[in-house]
């Protein structure tokens, strides 16, 4: 079996707040929709889709927000320079995100920072250096 497309679905407390957060970070909406309990954005050069469904919508059947039994994923967004990583960190803070790992080099010398959106979904912004 071959999947034609893959995307991610997250449960969020407030779709409007999610829209504001990802819009402030500069992500592009994935086609306008008429469902006020759904926000959808495109990530990366290949336009990976992440849908954000508000609690009380169809996502509740599959994902219970705040449940310790949820399978959470951390997405990595690539950056091209240390300055770009720092700029992302500043944007996340200004948009109300939680930076839980400040920008810097790790044990393997990768430069990155990690943050959570207002609903606790985690992302890592990583400098993609050649030769690493």
């Amino acid at each position: 079996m071959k999947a034609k497309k893959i995307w991610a679905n997250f449960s969020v407390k407030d779709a409007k707040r999610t829209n504001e957060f990802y819009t402030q970070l500069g992500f592009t909406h994935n086609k306008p929709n008429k469902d006020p309990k759904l926000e959808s954005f495109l990530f990366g050069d290949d336009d990976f889709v992440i849908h954000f469904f508000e609690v009380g919508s169809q996502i509740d059947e599959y994902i219970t927000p705040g449940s310790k039994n949820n399978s959470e994923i951390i997405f990595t967004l690539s950056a091209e320079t240390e300055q770009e990583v720092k700029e992302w960190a500043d944007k996340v803070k200004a948009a109300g995100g939680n930076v839980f790992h400040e920008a810097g080099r790790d044990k393997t010398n990768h430069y990155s920072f990690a943050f959570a959106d207002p609903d606790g979904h985690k992302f890592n912004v990583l400098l993609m250096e050649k030769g690493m």
Side-chain angles (χ1 to χ4, degrees):
M1 184 168 104
K2 182 180 176 187
K4 292 181 182 179
K5 190 158 176 105
I6 186 170
W7 63 90
N9 299 299
F10 279 136
S11 177
V12 298
K13 294 175 188 166
D14 183 341
K16 182 179 177 189
R17 174 64 184 116
T18 296
N19 176 27
E20 292 167 359
F21 181 78
Y22 289 101
T23 298
Q24 282 184 318
L25 294 183
F27 289 102
T28 303
H29 279 97
N30 176 36
K31 300 177 189 172
N33 70 75
K34 297 186 184 344
D35 184 347
K37 291 192 172 204
L38 169 64
E39 292 297 335
S40 184
F41 287 89
L42 303 174
F43 291 77
D45 290 342
D46 295 328
D47 290 339
F48 181 75
V49 175
I50 302 179
H51 296 304
F52 299 89
F53 291 91
E54 188 170 303
V55 173
S57 67
Q58 64 267 35
I59 200 69
D60 290 356
E61 183 177 340
Y62 303 99
I63 301 173
T64 306
S67 169
K68 295 197 186 269
N69 297 326
N70 278 351
S71 176
E72 180 69 58
I73 296 171
I74 186 166
F75 287 98
T76 298
L77 307 172
S78 66
E80 295 184 18
T81 65
E82 283 188 21
Q83 184 59 36
E84 187 178 9
V85 172
K86 292 173 188 174
E87 288 169 3
W88 271 97
D90 291 342
K91 279 185 174 182
V92 166
K93 290 174 185 175
N98 174 30
V99 173
F100 61 87
H101 184 271
E102 292 291 337
R105 296 218 174 252
D106 65 14
K107 294 181 226 175
T108 58
N109 206 32
H110 287 95
Y111 191 82
S112 67
F113 84 99
F115 72 93
D117 72 8
D119 287 281
H121 304 302
K122 296 176 181 176
F123 291 81
N124 179 33
V125 178
L126 175 70
L127 171 58
M128 298 299 295
E129 295 173 301
K130 293 184 183 346
M132 292 207 85

